[in-house]
Amino acid sequence: MVLYGFGSNGSGQLGIGNTVDQSTPQRCWLNSELPGSPMTIAAGGNHTLVLYDEGTVYSAGSSRDAKFHSRSSMSSMPIFQTTYVSVLGNKVKLCSALWDGSIFVNSENEVYTAALGSKGEQGTGGISASMALQILPNFPPVHQWSKIVDVACGVDHAVVVLNDGIVYGWGNGRKGQLSYPEEIVCTPRRLADVGFRVVRAVCGRDFTYLVGEQSSGQHTVLGSSKWEIQSQAPALVPDWKDIGASWGSIFVLEGSGKIRSWGRNDHGQLAPPGLPHIEKIAVGSEHVIALTKEGKVISWGWGEHGNCGSGTDESGDVKGKWNEILDTNSDHSMRVIGVGAGCATSFFWAEDPES
């Protein structure tokens, strides 16, 4: 499996061996043999995490955002890690990224955080001035058989979904994104009951989006109402297949292949009209990358750093349309398996044509 990235790269967060922004896909490089297929790509302000299906996480980008590297001497690490290096062994099942930090959940349902910030992002109490990797003590606290099924981060807040539908969160909750009271939350706090069993979560800059079972389509938005992120939400989102959130928008991929989106659209972030059948989506800070049923990789939204390809307007946007990044029908050496996105970064992975 080969990973490709393009877009913002000033800290080496694409993992392509340099710190130059890219508008065309470039092969990413790992410091060891490829471990399988990527399962999750999570990105902070200047670093990227890639979780592979056998539980290994790789990181690239600002070393300040990656001080959780196991058995690494930070005094000998470069400021920017421009290729992916392995972190935390091979027992990670979930990961997510804050602007200045990362969160990992292992197979034992233990939560580890490595975060900077003045808004409780570390989750271990108080304000963190260290990026040291720490375990959240006595969490999850509900029952010994509680399992974590999802984790999501905004810029400076995080939420965790348990298998019984209960949601906990910590970090910046001043806009209500962590329920009430609206305040900074320095240790995991249970969010108020939303009236349904939550199964998935994604976070915007100042909001949290929670969805229930696909059969019911129940959902809710907690937090800021800016960009009409709450008032524009439909009553239900039945038959959802996947969900995503940019800093100010929400995206729901339906089983039919259509995308329902609402919220901020000043850079063309929302789904443009006439989209083909979409199989997979990944939502970045202000853009979307998608894989179509026909095998094309497309992107739209704010693409000033090349993360939407080279065809942008004078403001760096792709509005009311999409850019075609790759057509696997014309490039028969590629079979794209998945897509990922971060802060002005885009990724996709494909079967290795040489294998």
Side-chain angles (χ1 to χ4, degrees), residues 119-132:
K119 300 180 178 67
E121 292 97 320
Q122 187 79 31
T124 53
I127 303 303
S128 173
S130 169
M131 283 290 283

Side-chain angles (χ1 to χ4, degrees), residues 57-112:
V57 179
Y58 287 75
S59 174
S62 172
S63 61
R64 187 192 72 171
D65 300 333
K67 290 188 178 180
F68 45 81
H69 287 136
S70 57
R71 298 182 299 278
S72 293
S73 170
M74 291 308 299
S75 62
S76 64
M77 284 190 68
I79 296 175
F80 302 137
Q81 185 67 49
T82 61
T83 59
Y84 286 93
V85 297
S86 178
V87 300
L88 292 179
N90 61 353
K91 295 178 64 177
V92 178
K93 70 173 186 177
L94 298 167
C95 70
S96 191
L98 300 145
W99 180 264
D100 274 327
S102 304
I103 297 175
F104 309 92
V105 181
N106 68 15
S107 58
E108 304 300 319
N109 291 291
E110 297 170 322
V111 179
Y112 289 83

Side-chain angles (χ1 to χ4, degrees), residues 111-146:
V111 179
Y112 289 83
T113 65
L116 283 176
S118 59
K119 300 180 178 67
E121 292 97 320
Q122 187 79 31
T124 53
I127 303 303
S128 173
S130 169
M131 283 290 283
L133 186 69
Q134 300 183 55
I135 188 172
L136 295 189
N138 304 312
F139 186 82
V142 184
H143 303 293
Q144 62 179 358
W145 54 84
S146 292

Side-chain angles (χ1 to χ4, degrees), residues 286-346:
E286 298 291 2
H287 77 291
V288 178
I289 181 169
L291 175 63
T292 73
K293 187 176 182 179
E294 293 76 23
K296 295 181 179 181
V297 178
I298 62 175
S299 187
W300 65 88
W302 180 62
E304 186 178 37
H305 291 275
N307 46 292
C308 292
S310 57
T312 60
D313 63 20
E314 64 278 2
S315 299
D317 301 332
V318 181
K319 289 183 176 180
K321 61 175 185 175
W322 61 89
N323 278 349
E324 185 176 298
I325 308 299
L326 176 71
D327 183 357
T328 58
N329 294 307
S330 58
D331 186 348
H332 297 290
S333 66
M334 291 275 195
R335 191 172 84 88
V336 177
I337 306 300
V339 290
C343 185
T345 56
S346 297

Side-chain angles (χ1 to χ4, degrees), residues 19-355:
T19 57
V20 180
D21 289 4
Q22 304 288 334
S23 60
T24 58
Q26 305 293 314
R27 182 167 181 161
C28 303
W29 298 100
L30 280 67
N31 69 339
S32 63
E33 186 177 347
L34 289 170
S37 177
M39 190 168 64
T40 300
I41 289 182
N46 295 290
H47 73 293
T48 305
L49 305 174
V50 183
L51 171 60
Y52 281 82
D53 53 13
E54 43 69 80
T56 300
V57 179
Y58 287 75
S59 174
S62 172
S63 61
R64 187 192 72 171
D65 300 333
K67 290 188 178 180
F68 45 81
H69 287 136
S70 57
R71 298 182 299 278
S72 293
S73 170
M74 291 308 299
S75 62
S76 64
M77 284 190 68
I79 296 175
F80 302 137
Q81 185 67 49
T82 61
T83 59
Y84 286 93
V85 297
S86 178
V87 300
L88 292 179
N90 61 353
K91 295 178 64 177
V92 178
K93 70 173 186 177
L94 298 167
C95 70
S96 191
L98 300 145
W99 180 264
D100 274 327
S102 304
I103 297 175
F104 309 92
V105 181
N106 68 15
S107 58
E108 304 300 319
N109 291 291
E110 297 170 322
V111 179
Y112 289 83
T113 65
L116 283 176
S118 59
K119 300 180 178 67
E121 292 97 320
Q122 187 79 31
T124 53
I127 303 303
S128 173
S130 169
M131 283 290 283
L133 186 69
Q134 300 183 55
I135 188 172
L136 295 189
N138 304 312
F139 186 82
V142 184
H143 303 293
Q144 62 179 358
W145 54 84
S146 292
K147 294 183 180 180
I148 297 171
V149 297
D150 204 11
V151 58
C153 294
V155 171
D156 50 19
H157 78 286
V159 294
V160 168
V161 180
L162 304 186
N163 60 332
D164 54 10
I166 295 173
V167 183
Y168 284 81
W170 64 91
N172 185 8
R174 289 174 172 170
K175 299 290 186 180
Q177 60 267 53
L178 297 177
S179 191
Y180 296 95
E182 297 177 345
E183 61 186 6
I184 288 176
V185 181
C186 293
T187 57
R189 181 180 77 183
R190 181 172 174 175
L191 276 58
D193 185 8
V194 295
F196 59 87
R197 178 175 172 268
V198 177
V199 299
R200 282 286 311 278
V202 291
C203 297
R205 187 181 186 94
D206 296 317
F207 66 85
T208 301
Y209 180 54
L210 307 173
V211 298
E213 299 285 352
Q214 293 168 308
S215 57
S216 71
Q218 292 174 295
H219 66 148
T220 191
V221 183
L222 305 177
S224 173
S225 58
K226 191 176 182 181
W227 309 108
E228 300 182 344
I229 200 71
Q230 294 180 348
S231 62
Q232 289 186 356
L236 297 170
V237 287
D239 193 33
W240 63 267
K241 181 179 179 181
D242 198 4
I243 59 174
S246 66
W247 283 352
S249 314
I250 291 174
F251 302 81
V252 177
L253 175 61
E254 300 176 346
S256 64
K258 296 180 179 180
I259 295 178
R260 180 175 293 193
S261 59
W262 64 95
R264 185 175 182 177
N265 196 37
D266 55 332
H267 293 287
Q269 297 95 318
L270 300 186
L275 278 174
H277 184 114
I278 302 298
E279 285 291 311
K280 296 183 180 181
I281 59 168
V283 182
S285 51
E286 298 291 2
H287 77 291
V288 178
I289 181 169
L291 175 63
T292 73
K293 187 176 182 179
E294 293 76 23
K296 295 181 179 181
V297 178
I298 62 175
S299 187
W300 65 88
W302 180 62
E304 186 178 37
H305 291 275
N307 46 292
C308 292
S310 57
T312 60
D313 63 20
E314 64 278 2
S315 299
D317 301 332
V318 181
K319 289 183 176 180
K321 61 175 185 175
W322 61 89
N323 278 349
E324 185 176 298
I325 308 299
L326 176 71
D327 183 357
T328 58
N329 294 307
S330 58
D331 186 348
H332 297 290
S333 66
M334 291 275 195
R335 191 172 84 88
V336 177
I337 306 300
V339 290
C343 185
T345 56
S346 297
F347 301 88
F348 64 86
W349 51 96
E351 290 181 345
D352 190 341
E354 297 179 358
S355 63

